[in-house]
Amino acid sequence: MLTPVVDPFDTAALRRRVLAAWSDSPARFREDANAEEDLVRGGYRDRLLVELAQNAADAAVRAGVPGRLRLELADVGGGGEVLHAANTGAPLDADGVSGLASLRASAKRDEPATVDWPADPEGPRLPTVGRFGVGFAAVLAVSDEPAVHSTGGGVRFSAARTRAEVADVPALAEEVARREGVVPVLRLPWPAEGAPPAGYATEVVLPLRPGSRAAVRAALEELEAELLLALPGLAEVEVVVDGAVRTLSCTRTRPLARLRDGDRTTTWRVEERTGELPAQLFADRPVEERARRGYTVTWAVPLDDDGRPLPLPVRQVVHAPTPSDEPLSLPVRLVAPFPLGPDRRHVAPGPVTDALVAVAAEAYADLLAALPPDPAVLALVPRIGLVAAELDAALGSAALDRLRTTAWLPVAGPDGAGETRLTPDRAAVLDEAPDERVAVLAGVVPGLLPAGWSRRDGAPALAALGVRRVGLAEVVEAVGGVARPPAWWARLYAALDGADREELGALPVPLADGRTAPGPAGVLLPADDLPVERLGPLSLRVAHPEAVAPPAARRLLERLGARPATAAAVLADPAVRAAVEQSVDAVEEGWSDADPAELAAAVLALVAAAGTAPGELPWLAELALPDGGGAWAPAGELLLPGAPLAAVLGDGALGTLDPDFAATADPAALRAAGVLATFGLVRAEDPDDLDVDAADEWADAVLDRLPAGTPPPPWPPLTAVRDLELVADWAGALPLLAAVGEEAWADVLLDGVAVPGYLRWWLTTHPVLGGQRPDRLRAPGSRELQGLYDEAHGPPEVLGRLRVPATVADVLADVDGALDLLDRLGDPARTVLPPVLRTVYARLAVALDDVDVDPPPRVRVAPDRVADPGREPVVVLDAPWLQPLVDALLVPAGGAPGPVADLLDLPLASERVQATVTSVPARRQPWPAVPGAGLAAARLGVAELTGEVAVHEPLLAGGRPVPWWPDADVDHVDGTPGALGRALAWRAGVWPLRQALAEAFAEPRRAADLAAEDAVG
């Protein structure tokens, strides 16, 4: 005998009422069947686990306990599986059973939409989502025999038993047949035996329909902990599949919620709003909804380990409060009790929805304002262009409007985001915003956001918010009126390095003297050697050293037109030169307020730092310095106190620098500025710019040394010594000049020709050696000029540098020297060495070839004799055979009788003597027949002599005896060896070999011995 099943919920009465209604009205049966089918196939398809979780959450909320849900897929053998869903909270009661069996009459009609949560008295009221109402129809998607076991009793539903019940009603059988056996399962409950697992109040048991097992298994495996965000009453879900347990939990520490899925924990930032909507908003809603005006709106976004938001994939759905089919383009989770349409899938439009959208927008703005001030928040700003549906557009537009009027954007500080928050209309971002640039501009550009907020990926969000973008030109304008220390400007310049220079032309630059330049162009960037603190009197635009210390800062300013400013570069500045050149006039005429002592100190400090050499910058000599008499004079006209130069100059030639001023100044700088201790150097690029005595005369003398017809070549850099004309004591001055350095003594190379530099030329052309000009003396120990020039005496180092002439060639190198030598040759008080006399006139003729020379009144005819052509006959011997017939003094021609005759304006011997051979030869013979002809030929370097010789006894020409006489075809001789040698030498064109040839004819018997002697050499 079977024990009857206990029926605590009187399910039999429920069945009788339903069956009676169906029997009385088969259309009602049809309506219930259609309604249930709509729910299973429509609003609650794919919602099985969500609905089970929702029921568990509501049970926990009603019981005031943390909700727990256990979902276990169990194998019952024979290939069958059962899904068990056990939950804590309020157990199933009679109202719940009634709700399960009433497709559209939820048991929670009279319950509030939100309730207090005893587990968290300080938190917001929790929403009641739904419990054992129409959503339970979701179980029919996987099971035909669902059952609910609770601590107060159980209930089951069965498709098979329902079909059996209606089969006995003829009026319904036909409808069941038409529906192919499909019946409304949840309308007829039966009592069920069984109890929930220990620790749980209720368990839903779902024997799975064949074909649904894979879907259930997949749904369990894919169940996410994020579901708990929409069900705050549910703290934990335990999922068991094939014996493996996975625990999903949610721990709330407002405003954070920590979701755990197994070993993985995710922290979410939650923003909630709880309240009650006005009753009038529900006028168009179903009657049973009108009393449920309470709401809880929740936004949630996951955070990374640093508390920054991790946006969800853009395509989300609205949770109302469980997932709907309403798309959401915001990358966050939204849970809100939007009214749903009959399909339970889409939000119904209307005043309630509009009011909840407004609440959601306010909460969303507060959510973003509460997040850390990190640019990742910009990914949460609504993008209107991405909206996917009407509700999505309304949410995005409302949230964006709220964000535009909420002070939530962080203001940049020196180290990132500061504490102040601004509304977007007061905020700004840089077009280009490296961290360093934003940090330095924080507090300068109003409302500037931190650097990361201007990244390219955040631009659309900022544009949607209406945040102002600031370009470089506006940055420059903003910094134009700020007062900041130089170090701040250095940071700014370094941060702007690499920016577009077109917009930075008006970037201010703080100057070392406290002024501010309106732009970098022309500003001087001080190098380490620049004495910035001393430069005030020069009024230069020198950037403050601290402002340009970083290399990046200097690099930027240089790109914008600033100039590197070493001490040498500043000295080259036209403003410095102008100040120096006008300094004396400024003092004397009183038109400048500048202190000349400070100006002098500034310039000398620059000179010292630049290491300027004396004479390197000639204009420095114009610098006004105090002299010993209390006046101001150009530096180049002053001597250092105790200067060696003072002892050799004439009285009053130059002033002396004030001793007190000299004691405080750098001696090297004073010398570089032109103040003299010894002789000063002057430099120029051209003789016309060489401000020294007789510079033009030196240039002419130099050009005279170049080959005739040579156009003036370009001049190399020139160095000269100044003040030579002021010397009074040359004995003391020459040692000083010997020490001035090689640069001043060096030759000048013009067109490949080395010519004397200015110093050597000036000294050699002035009486500086014992009252005589050095170029009119001869070098000590030299012989070639002996008798013509007096020997020079003086310090060897001085004489070596002066290059006192030692040879005729030294004298002839200069035109004036050659002219002087021509005069000296006619001086009867002087003598000439015979070897010198032989060629000296010929060499003078070459040296003075292109010079208009007056003939000398006296000419030298012998080493110790001169002649006056105006009083006695003097000729130049051009034909040596005429010598016996010339009745005049002879000038040695040195192989150039014509040029010598022209130089001295004398006749040639051939012009004075006209004669022919008048004697008859005693014999004629060929030259090879003359005794000694073989040795003569050897000495001439030919194989054999040619031609004919006529021997006279004696030889007469013009009736007078001569030793030899050349003719066109024959040589006439008197037969002597000397005559033979001269005749042969002249005919062969080797006049200097005449004595050697004469020897060959004088001793023909010794030809072999003489040839052997020749072979030795």
Side-chain angles (χ1 to χ4, degrees):
M1 180 176 177
L2 295 176
T3 303
V5 177
V6 178
D7 188 6
F9 304 123
D10 195 9
T11 60
L14 290 174
R15 290 195 304 276
R16 287 194 298 270
R17 286 196 297 271
V18 172
L19 286 171
W22 286 350
S23 298
D24 293 341
S25 177
R28 176 67 180 274
F29 172 83
R30 182 181 175 189
E31 289 177 358
D32 286 349
N34 287 340
E36 185 174 275
E37 189 172 22
D38 286 344
L39 292 174
V40 173
R41 298 180 183 275
Y44 292 97
R45 70 180 186 277
D46 304 326
R47 297 291 180 87
L48 172 64
L49 300 185
V50 171
E51 291 300 326
L52 293 173
Q54 175 177 296
N55 289 341
D58 277 349
V61 170
R62 285 176 174 79
V65 298
R68 291 186 298 111
L69 171 65
R70 177 182 173 86
L71 298 172
E72 181 176 6
L73 185 61
D75 188 349
V76 296
E81 288 182 305
V82 176
L83 176 63
H84 297 269
N87 63 267
T88 59
L92 180 65
D93 56 19
D95 287 340
V97 174
S98 178
L100 290 177
S102 301
L103 292 179
R104 294 190 182 275
S106 173
K108 60 184 181 180
R109 175 179 63 178
D110 298 324
E111 295 179 359
T114 59
V115 297
D116 290 329
W117 181 233
D120 185 9
E122 300 299 325
R125 291 167 60 87
L126 295 187
T128 56
V129 180
R131 180 173 185 267
F132 299 125
V134 291
F136 190 71
V139 302
L140 299 180
V142 299
S143 178
D144 294 326
E145 305 291 329
V148 180
H149 300 156
S150 188
T151 55
V155 65
R156 91 170 39 251
F157 301 90
S158 170
R161 294 184 69 175
T162 299
R163 278 192 295 271
E165 291 285 349
V166 298
D168 295 335
V169 181
L172 301 180
E174 182 181 353
E175 182 64 27
V176 172
R178 291 185 65 180
R179 302 182 73 87
E180 297 179 350
V182 176
V183 295
V185 177
L186 298 182
R187 293 292 281 123
L188 300 181
W190 281 272
E193 290 186 342
Y200 293 90
T202 305
E203 181 183 35
V204 177
V205 181
L206 302 175
L208 299 185
R209 182 187 306 117
S212 64
R213 297 168 184 172
V216 172
R217 181 180 292 269
L220 289 170
E221 292 174 349
E222 295 170 3
L223 188 63
E224 297 179 341
E226 284 84 344
L227 174 66
L228 301 179
L229 292 171
L231 304 172
L234 193 59
E236 178 182 287
V237 177
E238 193 175 75
V239 180
V240 183
V241 179
D242 296 333
V245 179
R246 179 166 64 102
T247 301
L248 310 177
S249 66
C250 177
T251 303
R252 297 173 185 268
T253 306
R254 288 181 175 79
L256 301 179
R258 291 178 175 82
L259 300 181
R260 184 169 61 87
D261 184 347
D263 295 333
R264 183 171 62 90
T265 299
T266 305
T267 300
W268 292 61
R269 176 62 170 82
V270 178
E271 188 71 28
E272 296 173 317
R273 288 290 182 278
T274 300
E276 186 172 282
L277 297 177
Q280 61 268 26
L281 298 180
F282 289 81
D284 64 343
R285 296 305 302 160
V287 172
E288 292 192 2
E289 287 187 25
R290 295 175 186 176
R292 299 175 58 81
R293 295 185 285 111
Y295 65 82
T296 295
V297 174
T298 301
W299 292 98
V301 63
L303 307 177
D304 64 12
D305 293 340
D306 295 322
R308 295 175 298 193
L310 294 171
L312 297 175
V314 171
R315 290 302 178 187
Q316 295 295 308
V317 295
V318 175
H319 288 63
T322 51
S324 71
D325 284 351
E326 289 288 350
L328 180 67
S329 57
L330 294 173
V332 293
R333 179 63 50 84
L334 170 60
V335 182
F338 286 107
L340 298 177
D343 62 358
R344 313 303 296 170
R345 289 281 182 168
H346 292 88
V347 173
V352 174
T353 295
D354 295 343
L356 290 175
V357 165
V359 172
E362 178 183 353
Y364 194 72
D366 290 346
L367 170 67
L368 269 60
L371 288 170
D374 188 273
V377 177
L378 290 176
L380 308 184
V381 174
R383 312 289 178 87
I384 301 303
L386 300 178
V387 296
E390 183 178 352
L391 177 62
D392 185 31
L395 285 167
S397 178
L400 188 59
D401 287 345
R402 189 70 182 186
L403 286 170
R404 288 171 177 160
T405 58
T406 299
W408 66 281
L409 293 177
V411 177
D415 301 316
E419 297 297 328
T420 304
R421 296 291 184 269
L422 295 176
T423 54
D425 63 331
R426 297 179 57 199
V429 291
L430 299 181
D431 280 339
E432 299 177 17
D435 291 349
E436 299 81 2
R437 192 175 300 174
V438 173
V440 73
L441 290 173
V444 175
V445 176
L448 186 62
L449 300 184
W453 291 71
S454 64
R455 294 193 190 102
R456 188 182 299 261
D457 54 359
L462 295 174
L465 291 167
V467 174
R468 180 171 55 94
R469 300 199 70 86
V470 177
L472 286 177
E474 190 172 346
V475 168
V476 172
E477 182 179 355
V479 302
V482 301
R484 292 292 189 276
W488 181 88
W489 290 97
R491 292 172 54 215
L492 174 64
Y493 300 146
L496 291 174
D497 183 35
D500 184 2
R501 65 180 182 182
E502 296 298 327
E503 298 187 75
L504 299 178
L507 188 64
V509 181
L511 303 181
D513 59 7
R515 296 177 297 154
T516 298
V523 170
L524 301 175
L525 305 178
D528 293 339
D529 68 342
L530 192 66
V532 176
E533 69 284 353
R534 306 287 296 276
L535 303 183
L538 293 171
S539 298
L540 299 173
R541 296 202 309 161
V542 179
H544 196 290
E546 291 183 39
V548 296
R554 299 181 72 91
R555 187 165 53 243
L556 171 77
L557 294 177
E558 283 190 49
R559 284 199 307 117
L560 298 176
R563 294 184 288 119
T566 60
V570 173
L571 269 179
D573 190 288
V576 175
R577 179 168 181 171
V580 169
E581 292 177 338
Q582 298 170 7
S583 59
V584 173
D585 289 343
V587 174
E588 293 178 348
E589 299 174 12
W591 51 262
S592 173
D593 294 332
D595 184 341
E598 292 184 0
L599 175 64
V603 173
L604 291 174
L606 276 176
V607 171
T612 307
E616 182 179 347
L617 299 176
W619 50 267
L620 286 173
E622 301 296 323
L623 178 65
L625 296 179
D627 64 14
W632 292 83
E637 297 178 11
L638 295 174
L639 294 165
L640 288 172
L645 182 60
V648 301
L649 298 182
D651 292 340
L654 296 174
T656 302
L657 182 67
D658 177 72
D660 294 336
F661 186 89
T664 61
D666 184 341
L670 290 172
R671 290 193 295 273
V675 181
L676 300 174
T678 184
F679 286 97
L681 301 181
V682 176
R683 294 176 177 82
E685 299 295 324
D686 187 272
D688 292 340
D689 300 325
L690 205 57
D691 188 16
V692 291
D693 180 57
D696 54 342
E697 297 177 24
W698 166 70
D700 291 341
V702 165
L703 294 176
D704 285 343
R705 293 195 175 217
L706 300 180
T710 301
W715 290 86
L718 304 175
T719 301
V721 175
R722 49 169 286 194
D723 301 325
L724 297 177
E725 72 279 12
L726 302 180
V727 174
D729 176 12
W730 281 108
L734 288 176
L736 295 179
L737 288 168
V740 296
E742 295 299 328
E743 178 185 9
W745 289 97
D747 288 340
V748 174
L749 192 64
L750 272 182
D751 204 22
V753 178
V755 296
Y758 170 82
L759 176 60
R760 180 175 293 114
W761 171 86
W762 197 97
L763 292 177
T764 56
T765 58
H766 288 76
V768 301
L769 283 179
Q772 299 188 69
R773 290 172 46 160
D775 62 348
R776 301 299 185 253
L777 300 172
R778 64 181 174 89
S782 63
R783 285 189 45 79
E784 189 169 321
L785 299 180
Q786 188 172 350
L788 284 172
Y789 294 87
D790 297 334
E791 187 173 36
H793 297 282
E797 68 275 10
V798 173
L799 297 179
R801 288 192 176 279
L802 290 175
R803 295 184 191 171
V804 177
T807 65
V808 172
D810 294 340
V811 174
L812 297 180
D814 181 71
V815 172
D816 287 342
L819 292 173
D820 177 69
L821 175 58
L822 185 61
D823 289 340
R824 287 172 181 265
L825 287 171
D827 184 354
R830 299 186 179 276
T831 61
V832 182
L833 295 176
V836 173
L837 179 60
R838 184 174 65 85
T839 61
V840 67
Y841 278 121
R843 296 171 71 180
L844 278 168
V846 174
L848 298 174
D849 181 46
D850 293 319
V851 180
D852 187 10
V853 181
D854 293 332
R858 292 182 293 273
V859 296
R860 190 163 294 272
V861 295
D864 55 356
R865 181 182 176 186
V866 297
D868 181 354
R871 294 185 179 185
E872 51 189 329
V874 181
V875 298
V876 177
L877 182 64
D878 58 334
W881 61 87
L882 295 177
Q883 185 174 0
L885 305 179
V886 175
D887 295 323
L889 298 173
L890 299 176
V891 175
V900 171
D902 291 340
L903 173 68
L904 303 178
D905 195 20
L906 295 175
L908 294 170
S910 60
E911 296 173 347
R912 290 294 183 91
V913 177
Q914 302 294 324
T916 60
V917 175
T918 56
S919 59
V920 178
R923 60 182 182 278
R924 298 169 71 94
Q925 62 186 107
W927 272 105
V930 177
L935 179 59
R939 286 183 169 178
L940 288 175
V942 298
E944 185 180 45
L945 299 180
T946 61
E948 188 178 25
V949 63
V951 180
H952 296 252
E953 297 176 352
L955 172 61
L956 300 175
R960 299 175 64 178
V962 294
W964 67 285
W965 196 276
D967 203 348
D969 300 322
V970 64
D971 291 303
H972 299 272
V973 298
D974 62 3
T976 61
L980 289 170
R982 282 171 169 75
L984 184 58
W986 187 261
R987 181 169 293 278
V990 288
W991 184 245
L993 293 180
R994 61 190 182 278
Q995 296 299 331
L997 295 176
E999 183 183 40
F1001 293 121
E1003 301 184 67
R1005 294 178 189 162
R1006 296 187 61 238
D1009 295 338
L1010 294 175
E1013 288 182 4
D1014 291 344
V1016 173

